[in-house]
Amino acid sequence: MLHINDLTYRIEGRTILENATAAISTGHKVGLVGRNGTGKSTLLKLIIGDLSPETGGITMMRGASLGHVAQEAPGGDVSIIDWVLSADTERAALLDEAETASDPTRIADIQIRLADIGAHHAPARAAQILAGLGFDEATQQRPCSAFSGGWRMRVALAAVLFLEPDVLLLDEPTNYLDLEGTLWLESYLRSYPHTVLIVSHDRDLLNNAVAHILHLERGQLSLYAGGYDRFERTRRERQRLDLKLKKKQDDERRRIQAFVDRFRAQANKATQAQSRLKALARMEPIAAQVEDRVVPFQFEGPQRALASPLIRFEAASVGYAADAPILTGLDLRLDADDRIGLLGANGNGKSTFAKLLAGRLQAGSGRRIASDKMRVGYFAQHQLDDLPAGQSPYDHMVELMPEETEAKRRARLGTFGFPVEKADTVAAKLSGGERARLLLALATFHRPHLIILDEPTNHLDVDSREALVQALATFEGAVILISHDRHLIEASCDRLWLVDGGSVRVYDEDMAAYRKLLLDQRSQRGKGKTKGAGEPRTDARSQDDGSKDGGAGAAASGGNSKADRAQERRLQAERRAALAPLRQAVQAEERTMSKLTASIARHDEALADVSLYDRAPEKAQKLVRERGRLAKELSEAEERWLTASAAVEEAEQAHV
């Protein structure tokens, strides 16, 4: 269906694709993955035809249609449903012609063609797609101009899904979807009848919606069977085998070279030496596997912990106008070690509730009780666009660390993946992933007691998302997480709260149950209110009992599920507490090794001055001794680091 043949493309001298080749068969669902900046979106543009390759080409089956989401969001006064229907230009033209056609033969041809393309069922199909993406029947009649950019991009996605092209190209479609929309899209793509190529960093989507992974790395394309987890395992195994084979080959090359060096000058062995030299030249070298390591996130916990609860709500409400609350009846508490995922469809008030937690909105009625010493780190996706375009990461550090040295500012930026060249790059020239890293660094700079993350992963690749999971696991504070990335929620959160029906309630089930609840609601939509065990319940913990698990009434209403949840939270807290000192030991040794390496480099630079040995021989001898001492200390630090790292791994396995 889709063939990429020896494709080469460069941007400003930088090679993006070099003799890249891949073949995608008809009907295959393929996820295109790779680190940020490797050229995934560029490859899609080459397939679409927006860019032209230097060499090679891209071919599709004759007559196959190609569909992709338009770059510009729809606008104007046309209704959403009509805009989606208008995407099928053939249907629209035939319907217009049917209104004026008078020739009986032509009228018959029009009606036959309309029946062939399912024109009369099109409105129902378009409405179903829009409903899956979050637009109810009334909303579908509203004009496109009445919606924000993110919602209009959903309409653009609905339009290309409605067209049902033979080759469907999607570039990070979940970036403007909530969790509910992502679950629907996953189900839709799984049953899509044609070929799909989707760029995504959503691990669950790549595991459940596609059957092949196309990996772009260093300008080359490699196709793997299976979802993302299988791809990752297969790739690791290939790397291990390649490294093993490379070591074997390197040993053989050294053996041959040693023979040549030994016997080249001997007449009776010269012929054999020349033969081995030719064999050495013919030996195809195996490229070393160099893993691009993702710089980890480091969220430092508060210098001084606060007693639980950090925040307590009593019959609170919140909104943007006193007479129009968005959320009411809030009776919840947030403790110092909580890890909570906020669930709920877009528009239900998740971001509003996050602002109330952060203190950016005041309770309209009731009470929000929190310590005035509590610091909150707040990340919201829209803030990426608000970063001053002309300010670099280093400029931000100057504002936050006015009294510190340049070295300390740059060291702080280095912990978030900003080396010298990136630290001085203005925000306008940073990638989306780099801006997200900068915003996370700014949000957590003051060592908050509570981190609130509102869709933090939209611009992060899979490995960076894993680094975020690790950072949240070691953070010694509370976390509120809003995300459509189920893997992130399941790996980082101990409890779930559901924002629905104008309030926020504890959801005692897990993500699998929530997914089933959503699918049940979708299947029963129009048949009445969904019933069953999936109904959310209000948090039973109150100010009076002051306990983490609630009183007897809570136990009676919550049953074993609530007790199990409390036990799980305690186990998670114990796990973090046990791992914290071990991880701190690893980080301490890493800092020691960094300092020793820098000191050795300075000594090497001084000893490289050949005049030093004549000019100041005693100083030279002293430097040599000091360098030897530093090298020994570095070796000892590396041993301690290895021991500490092994202890962390053993502790993690013990708590799995």
Side-chain angles (χ1 to χ4, degrees):
M1 171 57 75
L2 178 63
H3 292 270
I4 301 168
N5 305 304
D6 293 326
L7 200 66
T8 298
Y9 184 80
R10 294 180 177 86
I11 298 177
E12 297 179 353
R14 184 170 72 93
T15 300
I16 304 299
L17 297 160
E18 186 172 18
N19 300 324
T21 298
I24 298 175
S25 301
T26 302
H28 280 194
K29 315 293 193 307
V30 180
L32 177 58
V33 303
R35 288 283 175 80
N36 284 342
T38 54
K40 301 183 296 297
S41 296
T42 298
L43 178 58
L44 291 192
K45 291 178 181 178
L46 288 164
I47 295 172
I48 294 167
D50 290 346
L51 298 174
S52 299
E54 292 183 14
T55 60
I58 297 170
T59 59
M60 287 200 312
M61 185 181 294
R62 186 187 299 274
S65 57
L66 180 70
H68 62 95
V69 178
Q71 293 294 316
E72 295 184 3
D77 295 331
V78 64
S79 70
I80 288 175
I81 185 73
D82 287 340
W83 196 91
V84 172
L85 289 169
S86 69
D88 188 344
T89 54
E90 181 186 11
R91 174 182 176 276
L94 288 171
L95 289 175
D96 287 343
E97 187 179 355
E99 294 291 331
T100 58
S102 56
D103 178 55
T105 302
R106 180 55 185 160
I107 292 173
D109 290 341
I110 292 172
Q111 293 303 321
I112 290 172
R113 182 56 183 164
L114 286 172
D116 288 343
I117 64 176
H120 301 297
H121 302 293
R125 190 161 61 86
Q128 184 181 26
I129 292 172
L130 284 168
L133 294 174
F135 299 95
D136 59 27
E137 185 176 354
T139 305
Q140 293 175 20
Q141 305 304 320
R142 296 175 61 190
C144 295
S145 58
F147 295 89
S148 64
W151 282 95
R152 280 188 277 169
M153 288 307 299
R154 291 194 189 201
V155 179
L157 174 61
V160 71
L161 296 180
F162 170 72
L163 285 174
E164 210 170 81
D166 297 314
V167 179
L168 174 63
L169 304 180
L170 298 175
D171 191 355
E172 293 288 1
T174 60
N175 276 4
Y176 35 84
L177 297 179
D178 54 14
L179 179 58
E180 288 72 11
T182 300
L183 288 171
W184 177 87
L185 181 64
E186 176 188 301
S187 176
Y188 185 89
L189 292 178
R190 201 163 45 237
S191 60
Y192 189 76
H194 306 302
T195 305
V196 177
L197 180 60
I198 176 172
V199 175
S200 179
H201 297 302
D202 189 315
R203 182 185 290 263
D204 288 299
L205 185 69
L206 293 172
N207 276 326
N208 299 324
V210 304
H212 294 81
I213 296 293
L214 185 62
H215 184 220
L216 175 56
E217 184 180 39
R218 298 184 182 89
Q220 298 294 306
L221 292 168
S222 302
L223 189 64
Y224 295 77
Y228 187 84
D229 287 346
R230 182 177 173 186
F231 149 73
E232 201 171 50
R233 290 193 300 270
T234 304
R235 180 167 171 258
R236 297 295 182 196
E237 182 63 19
R238 283 188 183 181
Q239 288 178 330
R240 188 185 68 80
L241 293 174
D242 284 349
L243 286 172
K244 186 177 180 180
L245 185 59
K246 184 180 187 302
K247 182 180 182 301
K248 184 178 179 180
Q249 187 188 75
D250 288 344
D251 291 341
E252 179 67 9
R253 292 176 73 91
R254 282 192 292 270
R255 188 186 66 79
I256 293 173
Q257 189 65 52
F259 181 91
V260 171
D261 293 341
R262 182 179 179 185
F263 297 112
R264 179 184 295 176
Q266 298 183 20
N268 62 334
K269 296 286 188 180
T271 301
Q272 296 180 35
Q274 289 297 322
S275 175
R276 281 165 170 75
L277 272 176
K278 292 178 182 178
L280 196 63
R282 289 194 301 269
M283 192 178 292
E284 188 71 24
I286 299 172
Q289 294 285 350
V290 180
E291 185 68 15
D292 295 328
R293 182 174 177 269
V294 169
V295 177
F297 296 99
Q298 294 184 20
F299 301 149
E300 294 188 61
Q303 291 178 323
R304 183 177 180 182
L306 296 177
S308 294
L310 291 180
I311 304 174
R312 188 168 73 249
F313 297 109
E314 296 177 356
S317 67
V318 64
Y320 298 94
D323 57 345
I326 294 174
L327 300 171
T328 60
L330 302 177
D331 288 289
L332 300 160
R333 62 179 272 172
L334 176 73
D335 289 341
D337 62 344
D338 269 336
R339 299 287 198 277
I340 294 176
L342 283 189
L343 307 179
N346 275 4
N348 281 7
K350 296 192 299 293
S351 295
T352 300
F353 183 61
K355 292 175 183 176
L356 175 64
L357 284 166
R360 300 192 176 194
L361 284 176
Q362 299 300 315
S365 62
R367 301 175 68 195
R368 173 189 180 274
I369 305 166
S371 170
D372 56 5
K373 296 180 180 179
M374 182 181 67
R375 291 189 298 274
V376 178
Y378 184 75
F379 176 104
Q381 187 61 40
H382 66 83
Q383 292 176 332
L384 292 179
D385 298 326
D386 296 334
L387 285 171
Q391 245 183 315
S392 69
Y394 182 75
D395 293 333
H396 286 285
M397 284 301 110
V398 171
E399 293 178 358
L400 292 170
M401 306 170 69
E403 304 299 327
E404 297 293 351
T405 63
E406 179 178 350
K408 288 188 176 181
R409 293 169 188 153
R410 292 192 181 278
R412 185 64 179 262
L413 285 170
T415 63
F416 269 80
F418 290 97
V420 175
E421 65 276 8
K422 287 295 183 183
D424 294 322
T425 302
V426 296
K429 295 185 178 180
L430 294 175
S431 68
E434 289 164 345
R435 291 199 305 274
R437 279 184 170 269
L438 174 57
L439 195 58
L440 284 167
L442 299 178
T444 59
F445 179 84
H446 293 293
R447 306 184 68 170
H449 299 86
L450 166 64
I451 295 177
I452 301 174
L453 302 177
D454 190 349
E455 295 294 356
T457 62
N458 280 358
H459 296 284
L460 299 180
D461 58 34
V462 177
D463 293 325
S464 295
R465 294 182 184 202
E466 286 301 313
L468 180 59
V469 169
Q470 295 300 320
L472 293 176
T474 59
F475 173 65
E476 297 175 353
V479 175
I480 295 288
L481 181 60
I482 303 171
S483 179
H484 61 260
D485 188 326
R486 280 166 289 161
H487 174 73
L488 178 64
I489 293 177
E490 290 175 331
S492 304
C493 297
D494 304 332
R495 306 174 61 218
L496 301 173
W497 287 356
L498 180 60
V499 184
D500 187 40
S503 192
V504 184
R505 307 174 181 87
V506 169
Y507 185 73
D508 279 330
E509 306 297 334
D510 58 14
M511 289 300 297
Y514 183 61
R515 181 180 185 275
K516 183 178 184 301
L517 171 65
L518 292 176
L519 294 176
D520 289 345
Q521 288 177 338
R522 206 177 291 281
S523 65
Q524 296 185 31
R525 188 168 288 143
K527 300 179 182 179
K529 187 177 184 292
T530 304
K531 300 178 181 179
E535 290 291 332
R537 294 187 290 105
T538 302
D539 193 341
R541 298 179 300 176
S542 66
Q543 179 183 3
D544 294 335
D545 62 45
S547 71
K548 294 280 287 183
D549 302 321
S557 62
N560 291 333
S561 175
K562 190 156 197 169
D564 292 344
R565 179 68 64 181
Q567 176 66 13
E568 178 64 21
R569 290 183 60 238
R570 282 194 292 272
L571 290 174
Q572 291 287 349
E574 290 172 3
R575 178 177 183 271
R576 287 193 294 272
L579 286 174
L582 299 177
R583 294 185 189 278
Q584 289 169 2
V586 171
Q587 294 168 2
E589 295 304 333
E590 288 175 346
R591 290 192 292 269
T592 299
M593 289 189 295
S594 179
K595 291 178 182 178
L596 289 170
T597 302
S599 295
I600 291 173
R602 289 194 294 270
H603 280 66
D604 288 341
E605 184 178 357
L607 290 169
D609 182 3
V610 294
S611 66
L612 176 67
Y613 301 91
D614 295 328
R615 177 169 39 85
E618 292 182 358
K619 181 179 180 181
Q621 291 180 3
K622 182 180 178 181
L623 287 173
V624 169
R625 288 194 298 271
E626 287 180 352
R627 191 199 182 284
R629 176 181 58 79
L630 291 170
K632 182 180 179 182
E633 290 180 5
L634 178 59
S635 177
E636 293 172 350
E638 288 174 345
E639 288 295 328
R640 292 194 301 271
W641 177 81
L642 287 171
T643 302
S645 298
V648 170
E649 292 180 3
E650 290 176 6
E652 288 177 337
Q653 291 297 323
H655 286 86
V656 170

